[in-house]
């Protein structure tokens, strides 16, 4: 594996692969790798010829009160983990390489960035503008055939998909399932901030999602009721809820009844650490050739 720090060097390196007709996969990250990151890299390894992982703690997606300086970093460990799953290039530019003096361009997706984590009362849409700004640059720098993102950051994945479609980036976006600890906690670099007690409390996020999913499977279709079920689990664990909301997976529009696939999303503070998690709630399509099931399923899901 090669670690490359400059854009010209990366371009030159990838140009050789392109001339040889090889496909390029990109996994954008902020480092401090865990199994969630490694699963994206493994998928890239399986699906593309040349795997590029970017490691850049992007300052423009952090708010003024957020943890940019404290964000965990360990490049040597990251490099060895990435190498272990067969990554070809670790692209680890410094800040001035990505945002040189005079940098003045923003990239903003409207609408879906203004709800959930982007709600002005929370992180605000500026967070996602930081994400789209850096991802647009990475797409232009790397020119990947496929880029890999995690469902853990469901809203981010949706925003990146929208941007890529709107701006005609010739890239396929793959979104892979959330990787969890054995007790359900979604893996996150920020989990390293949690004390032992907080780590225990943090399981309430996935338990809340489980409880809501169980209610959904049991036939509950009211968004308000499902949100209440999940929120109660967080409340019982004494966790400070930022939001628990159920919105349409497709466009994050508000849902009162889950009659289209829903995204149950939450953000909460455990101590001073902000954690997010989500679950897609959808009725499974009927099995092919089982007309009886199809009938039941339809009747069962329509209010
Ligand atoms: P980050 O380094 O936190 O910016 O994450 C880099 C990529 O890894 C993003 O596409 C995330 O959605 C994804 N990711 C982070 N945590 C997980 C997880 N637990 N499971 C799957 N993907 C994840």
């Amino acid at each position: 594996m090669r670690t490359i720090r400059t854009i010209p060097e990366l371009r030159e390196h990838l140009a050789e692969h392109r001339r040889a007709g090889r496909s390029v996969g990109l996994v954008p990250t902020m480092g401090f790798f865990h199994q969630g990151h490694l699963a994206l890299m493994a998928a890239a390894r399986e699906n593309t010829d040349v795997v590029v992982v970017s490691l850049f703690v992007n300052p423009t997606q952090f708010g003024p009160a957020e943890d940019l300086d404290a964000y965990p970093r360990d490049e040597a460990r990251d490099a060895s983990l990435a190498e272990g799953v067969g990554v070809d290039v670790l692209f680890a530019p410094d800040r001035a390489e990505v945002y040189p003096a005079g940098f003045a361009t923003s990239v903003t997706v409207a609408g879906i960035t203004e709800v959930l984590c982007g709600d002005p009362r929370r992180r605000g849409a500026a967070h996602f503008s930081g994400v789209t700004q850096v991802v647009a640059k990475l797409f232009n720098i790397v020119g990947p055939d496929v880029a890999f993102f995690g469902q853990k950051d469901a809203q981010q994945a949706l925003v990146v998909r929208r941007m890529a479609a709107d701006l005609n980036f010739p890239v396929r976006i793959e979104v892979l399932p959330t990787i969890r600890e054995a007790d359900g906690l979604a893996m996150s670099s920020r989990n390293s901030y949690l004390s032992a007690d907080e780590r225990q409390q943090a399981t309430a996020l996935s338990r809340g999602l489980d409880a809501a999913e169980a209610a959904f499977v049991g036939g509950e279709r009211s968004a308000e009721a499902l949100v209440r079920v999940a929120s109660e689990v967080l409340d019982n664990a004494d966790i400070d809820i930022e939001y628990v909301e159920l919105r349409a997976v497709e466009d994050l529009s508000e849902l009162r009844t889950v009659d289209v696939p829903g995204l149950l999303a939450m953000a909460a503070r455990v101590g001073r650490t902000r954690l997010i998690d989500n679950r897609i709630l959808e009725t499974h399509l009927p099995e092919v050739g089982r007309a009886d099931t199809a009938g039941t399923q339809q009747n069962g899901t329509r209010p």
Side-chain angles (χ1 to χ4, degrees):
M1 188 186 76
R2 278 181 63 173
T3 296
I4 295 181
R5 299 193 189 277
T6 69
I7 295 164
E9 198 189 334
L10 181 64
R11 284 221 162 108
E12 196 179 317
H13 178 76
L14 293 175
E16 282 171 36
H17 287 298
R18 293 215 170 282
R19 277 195 292 276
R22 299 189 188 108
S23 64
V24 175
L26 171 67
V27 182
T29 82
M30 299 206 301
F32 213 67
F33 297 152
H34 49 66
Q35 292 300 323
H37 294 115
L38 299 181
L40 299 184
M41 295 175 206
R45 176 71 288 155
E46 213 167 284
N47 290 285
T48 51
D49 298 323
V50 183
V51 177
V52 179
V53 171
S54 61
L55 193 180
F56 181 61
V57 182
N58 175 37
T60 67
Q61 71 189 70
F62 285 77
E66 286 188 69
D67 56 344
L68 174 62
D69 292 334
Y71 197 83
R73 294 164 168 88
D74 188 344
E75 188 186 312
R77 176 176 166 276
D78 285 350
S80 105
L81 288 170
E83 184 156 33
V85 291
V87 169
D88 298 298
V89 176
L90 186 67
F91 177 51
D94 69 15
R95 188 175 174 152
E97 184 71 10
V98 180
Y99 301 116
F103 187 93
T105 300
S106 54
V107 182
T108 297
V109 171
I112 54 172
T113 57
E114 293 155 31
V115 299
L116 302 178
C117 288
D119 187 303
R121 292 163 298 176
R122 300 167 194 149
R123 295 182 98 178
H127 161 68
F128 289 111
S129 295
V131 171
T132 43
Q133 183 179 52
V134 79
V135 172
K137 280 182 68 87
L138 288 168
F139 284 178
N140 281 329
I141 292 164
V142 175
D145 297 279
V146 193
F148 298 84
F149 294 86
Q151 177 63 23
K152 155 88 189 324
D153 300 275
Q155 188 175 11
Q156 168 176 289
L158 207 64
V159 169
V160 167
R161 249 190 217 294
R162 185 76 259 160
M163 177 197 72
D166 289 355
L167 298 183
N168 308 97
F169 281 102
V171 60
R172 191 172 94 226
I173 308 289
E174 289 282 341
V175 181
L176 291 147
T178 302
I179 305 295
R180 298 175 180 281
E181 303 284 357
D183 63 8
L185 177 66
M187 291 197 185
S188 163
S189 307
R190 290 191 169 98
N191 292 349
S192 63
Y193 297 147
L194 301 170
S195 70
D197 284 349
E198 290 168 350
R199 170 68 187 75
Q200 190 52 41
Q201 262 184 307
T203 60
L205 277 83
S206 61
R207 286 189 286 111
L209 295 172
D210 289 344
E213 184 174 35
F216 178 75
V217 169
E220 181 61 74
R221 292 291 179 271
S222 150
E224 195 188 334
L226 291 163
V227 163
R228 196 176 329 114
V229 168
S231 303
E232 270 169 17
V233 178
L234 298 185
D235 283 337
N236 290 339
D238 262 341
I239 285 180
D240 191 6
I241 296 176
E242 195 175 284
Y243 68 82
V244 179
E245 289 186 36
L246 216 169
R247 290 176 173 267
V249 167
E250 176 82 10
D251 57 3
L252 301 186
S253 58
E254 284 184 47
L255 269 190
R256 297 185 69 181
T257 304
V258 192
D259 49 7
V260 293
L263 179 74
L264 179 59
M266 52 173 61
R269 274 181 204 278
V270 181
R272 294 176 60 193
T273 306
R274 182 178 184 278
L275 299 177
I276 58 172
D277 203 349
N278 68 82
R279 186 76 46 91
I280 290 177
L281 300 180
E282 62 182 324
T283 45
H284 292 289
L285 294 173
E287 285 175 45
V288 178
R290 287 189 56 190
D292 54 330
T293 321
T296 319
Q297 197 90 23
Q298 281 229 331
N299 294 337
T301 55
R302 298 278 178 263

